Structures are given as structure tokens and as C-alpha cells.
């Protein structure tokens, strides 16, 4: 394949297994589209799918999966811990090989028009695809979630859709589509049921509150697990490493006598992000990723 992209669509369904499998089905056994991972969280009520492949094959599969989601998910009755504004909540495109970020932006704009034409769900651009300086971050686009956006989109020009009418789909809401860098979805679970502790720490880690660069964070309750969670997106792991936010959260949680129960990585993750933290905890002096045998072999194979 001469052109490769990563795509991690998020769907607002994490509980009904039959609907989850129906959404994922178009990504399986499709030439040029590779399903790397998919996982659903009942507390978040959200499905995260990790794809890699050729742009056209991925876009065709996204339309099919989107059609299933629109037919089966009603945002008017949807409940979950994770913010959302649509049945197909987010579709990001990330360049991997043979395609630039600018070309991924063009791809996202072309696909957004097709997405609306075929599914009648209005689209809001975000990240590198945004055409509004006041609306580049996903949290800016999704502010107020479905319940607020369905009214604001009709009356507030700053909340208008980029593709489609100024009215959300009556059950499927709206969808954010854009091009962005690799993102690491990293969650830290805490041994307490006090969600206020997670919310306070979530505010302290995120960049918009003066926390860590390129980190988005929030606190959520996980009643099924009897825990709370600091849920984060690291949008540039080279600027803020995973171990750095983990150790900060561990230190902050200790103020309340709370310990870290464990961590989660949702979806795929670049090797560099994991190796960076491994080198830190193993206290390996002067470690370079090129020392990893498999990475070195892959590099050599690409040179042949």
C-alpha cells in the first residue's frame, strides 16, 4: 500500500453487544481496511475502533458502520460517563505513510460532505481540519454535549455546523470529523468511589487549566468497577510522556489517601509512547528506541 492512514472512530454505544458487533462488521474482511482493535466501555457507553489502511477503503467502511449507528443509537435516551454529541461521535484521520497532514485535511473535508449526503448527519470540523480558529479543539466543538448543541446550533452562529443544516439529526445528533496527530487515550483508575477527587485531578492535568501540555483530562465515575477514573487524551506524547502524568496523578491522589488501582490504554498506541515510560520506570540510562530488536528489524525491512 502506497498510502496509509490511521482512523479511530468513536461510537456512542458501549452496552448492547449486538449493536456493537453490527457497527464493527463493515470493518472486517474489507480489502484495504484493517481492523486493529475495538473495545466498548459500559460506564462510558462508548465504542472505540482502531483502523489502519487505504483512505478509500476506510471511508467506504465508515459509511456502512455509520449507517448502522444512526439506525440504532438515539442520543435522546443515551446515557454514559463520556461526553458525546452524536451516534457517530468522532471520526479522526491521521497520516501514516504516503500522505501529508494537509492531504488528510482535504480527505476529511471530502469525506464530511459524503457523510452528510449519505447519512444526513451534520458535520463539525475539528483539529487540523477546523476552518474556525475558535473551534479547533474537540471539547470546543462538543461543549454542552448533544442536549445543549441541538438548541444552540439553531440560534448561535458560532455553533453552526460546517457541513449540513443548522439542525442536528433528530436521533443521531452531529459528528466531529477532522485530521490530527496520533493520540494516546490513557486512563488512570483510582481506588475510591469519590468522583470529585477524579474531577479535581482531571482539571489539574489538562492543558486548558494550566496543567500538562497537550493533555485533555476529566474525572468520571465507574460504578460497575467501584472506582473513579482520570480519563485523558495525550494529543502529543512526545511533549508530555505518559509516566509524567501518571506520577502526577499518583502524587495528587495521595492527598486524599487514595492510591492508583491501575491504568488503561484505549486503542492503539505508538511504540515510542510505551518505550518512553518503560525506560523511565526501568531507569535505563541513555536508552534509544533503535535498541528494540523488532523496531530495528522493521526499519531494515523498509530499507530493502
Amino acid at each position: 500500500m502506497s498510502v496509509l492512514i490511521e482512523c479511530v472512530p468513536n461510537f456512542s454505544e458501549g452496552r448492547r453487544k449486538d449493536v456493537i458487533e453490527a457497527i464493527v462488521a463493515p470493518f472486517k474482511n474489507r480489502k484495504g481496511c484493517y481492523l486493529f482493535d475495538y473495545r466498548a466501555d459500559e460506564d462510558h457507553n462508548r465504542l472505540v475502533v482502531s483502523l489502519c489502511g487505504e483512505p478509500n477503503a476506510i471511508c467506504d467502511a465508515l459509511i456502512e458502520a455509520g449507517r448502522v449507528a444512526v439506525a440504532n443509537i438515539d442520543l435522546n435516551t443515551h446515557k454514559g460517563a463520556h461526553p458525546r454529541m452524536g451516534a457517530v461521535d468522532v471520526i479522526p484521520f491521521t497520516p501514516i505513510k504516503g500522505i501529508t497532514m494537509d492531504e488528510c485535511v482535504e480527505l476529511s473535508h471530502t469525506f464530511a460532505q459524503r457523510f452528510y449526503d449519505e447519512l444526513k448527519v451534520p458535520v463539525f470540523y475539528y483539529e487540523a481540519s477546523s476552518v474556525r480558529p475558535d473551534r479547533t479543539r474537540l471539547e470546543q466543538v462538543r461543549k454542552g454535549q448533544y442536549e445543549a448543541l441541538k438548541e444552540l446550533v439553531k440560534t448561535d452562529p458560532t455553533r453552526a455546523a460546517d457541513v449540513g443544516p443548522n439542525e442536528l439529526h433528530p436521533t443521531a445528533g452531529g459528528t466531529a470529523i477532522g485530521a490530527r496527530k496520533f493520540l494516546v487515550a490513557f486512563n488512570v483508575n483510582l481506588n475510591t468511589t469519590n468522583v470529585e477527587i477524579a474531577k479535581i485531578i482531571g482539571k489539574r492535568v489538562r492543558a486548558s487549566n494550566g496543567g500538562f501540555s497537550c493533555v485533555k483530562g476529566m474525572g468520571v465515575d465507574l460504578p460497575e468497577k467501584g472506582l473513579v477514573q482520570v480519563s485523558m487524551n495525550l494529543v502529543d506524547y512526545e511533549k508530555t510522556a505518559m509516566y509524567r502524568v501518571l506520577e502526577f496523578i499518583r502524587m495528587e491522589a495521595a492527598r486524599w489517601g487514595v492510591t492508583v488501582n491501575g491504568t488503561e490504554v484505549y486503542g492503539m498506541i505508538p511504540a515510542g509512547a510505551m518505550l518512553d515510560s518503560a525506560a523511565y520506570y526501568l531507569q535505563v540510562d541513555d536508552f534509544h528506541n533503535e535498541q528494540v530488536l523488532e523496531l530495528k528489524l522493521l526499519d531494515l525491512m523498509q530499507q530493502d
Side-chain angles (χ1 to χ4, degrees):
M1 279 183 252
S2 58
V3 177
L4 278 177
I5 62 169
E6 183 201 46
C7 183
V8 187
N10 286 212
F11 301 87
S12 296
E13 178 55 67
R15 297 170 183 169
R16 295 175 294 172
K17 290 183 172 53
D18 56 333
V19 175
I20 291 168
E21 291 304 320
I23 291 172
V24 173
F27 302 124
K28 298 178 177 177
N29 302 317
R30 177 179 289 272
K31 186 177 180 181
C33 175
Y34 298 93
L35 175 61
F36 279 3
D37 182 77
Y38 69 101
R39 56 190 68 202
D41 187 287
E42 293 190 359
D43 290 315
H44 286 217
N45 202 4
R46 192 170 184 85
L47 168 66
V48 178
V49 180
S50 295
L51 307 169
C52 182
E54 298 172 339
N56 288 341
I58 287 179
C59 288
D60 289 345
L62 284 169
I63 292 295
E64 283 189 44
R67 190 167 284 117
V68 175
V70 170
N72 288 277
I73 300 172
D74 185 348
L75 267 292
N76 298 291
T77 58
H78 179 276
K79 301 292 182 187
H82 199 288
R84 79 287 182 268
M85 68 180 198
V88 186
D89 198 49
V90 186
I91 300 178
F93 295 103
T94 301
I96 296 179
K97 175 188 172 187
I99 185 169
T100 66
M101 181 60 80
D102 286 344
E103 289 169 332
C104 255
V105 169
E106 185 178 346
L107 169 68
S108 70
H109 287 173
T110 303
F111 176 73
Q113 186 63 56
R114 179 185 175 191
F115 188 84
Y116 172 71
D117 290 342
E118 297 201 27
L119 303 182
K120 301 306 177 192
V121 175
V123 173
F124 301 75
Y125 297 140
Y126 80 114
E127 290 290 345
S129 301
S130 175
V131 293
R132 300 177 57 107
D134 61 332
R135 223 170 60 184
T136 56
R137 300 198 308 270
L138 181 58
E139 58 268 31
Q140 293 171 322
V141 174
R142 204 166 49 193
K143 186 177 181 181
Q145 303 191 50
Y146 169 75
E147 287 76 10
L149 187 58
K150 69 179 178 181
E151 300 301 328
L152 291 170
V153 74
K154 302 174 186 174
T155 58
D156 184 349
T158 68
R159 306 301 301 274
D162 293 300
V163 181
N166 289 325
E167 186 170 4
L168 297 187
H169 186 285
T171 57
T175 298
I177 294 178
R180 62 159 170 75
K181 293 182 176 180
F182 280 108
L183 176 154
V184 177
F186 183 47
N187 302 328
V188 178
N189 295 337
L190 302 178
N191 282 316
T192 177
T193 56
N194 186 347
V195 73
E196 290 306 314
I197 294 174
K199 288 182 177 179
I200 291 171
I201 297 175
K203 289 179 181 176
R204 289 176 180 169
V205 298
R206 65 189 179 212
S208 61
N209 278 62
F212 290 90
S213 172
C214 304
V215 173
K216 303 177 181 182
M218 65 179 183
V220 298
D221 194 14
L222 303 178
E224 295 292 325
K225 297 177 181 175
L227 303 169
V228 300
Q229 180 180 84
V230 181
S231 178
M232 296 173 288
N233 284 335
L234 278 56
V235 299
D236 191 337
Y237 69 89
E238 292 178 323
K239 290 184 177 176
T240 297
M242 295 165 64
Y243 71 83
R244 227 167 259 148
V245 289
L246 173 58
E247 291 307 314
F248 176 81
I249 291 170
R250 195 192 310 278
M251 181 179 66
E252 287 293 306
R255 293 183 178 200
W256 290 275
V258 172
T259 57
V260 171
N261 179 276
T263 66
E264 299 174 350
V265 173
Y266 237 74
M268 306 301 292
I269 180 172
M274 291 295 283
L275 291 171
D276 200 20
S277 290
Y280 173 81
Y281 286 113
L282 293 172
Q283 296 181 277
V284 183
D285 290 333
D286 197 28
F287 178 77
H288 300 282
N289 292 353
E290 292 77 13
Q291 294 175 249
V292 178
L293 177 63
E294 289 82 356
L295 293 182
K296 189 66 177 178
L297 287 172
L298 284 172
D299 185 46
L300 291 172
M301 290 168 66
Q302 289 176 347
Q303 294 176 20
D304 290 339

